[in-house]
Amino acid sequence: MLVYGTEVVILADVEIPSLSIMQEAELDDAEWVKIHYEQLALIDGKRMNAVCHGQLYQNRMSRAFNKRVKSRQFTSGHLVLKKIFPYQDEAKGKFSPNWQGPYMVYRILIGVSSYLQK
């Protein structure tokens, strides 16, 4: 309904009149406006349900992903390796190394940022 704006008409709807069948039966204007307004209110509710469902799905996926992440606390003086991402110049093919280093943590900034020193 959200994609095409109308509901599917099945054979049971023809025998027991639904909203789309009643619209085809030429209702008077006041009644048609009332029914159309109610249908628009239903669409807004369905959109809100879709948004809520999407947010719940994203929360579930982030929880499942973050379950495997191990948090690490670094301090000045620790030795670390730096990841080479595929879009960087150092990534030169499938046999190139994935990590650079070792680097020493020089200074920790607020959050997860830090300065590295060779």
Side-chain angles (χ1 to χ4, degrees), residues 43-78:
I43 289 175
D44 288 339
K46 289 184 181 189
R47 282 188 184 138
M48 287 303 296
N49 280 343
V51 167
C52 291
H53 185 353
Q55 289 175 346
L56 289 173
Y57 177 74
Q58 286 178 348
N59 289 340
R60 267 186 281 149
M61 291 302 291
S62 66
R63 260 187 280 137
F65 176 78
N66 291 335
K67 195 178 347 179
R68 296 184 203 106
V69 174
K70 297 177 184 175
S71 78
R72 310 225 184 219
Q73 297 294 326
F74 297 108
T75 59
S76 297
H78 275 157

Side-chain angles (χ1 to χ4, degrees), residues 77-82 100-106 116-118:
H78 275 157
L79 292 176
V80 295
L81 296 174
K82 182 177 141 188
Q100 283 180 342
Y103 290 96
M104 185 171 65
V105 176
Y106 174 66
L116 299 178
Q117 178 181 11
K118 260 198 171 195

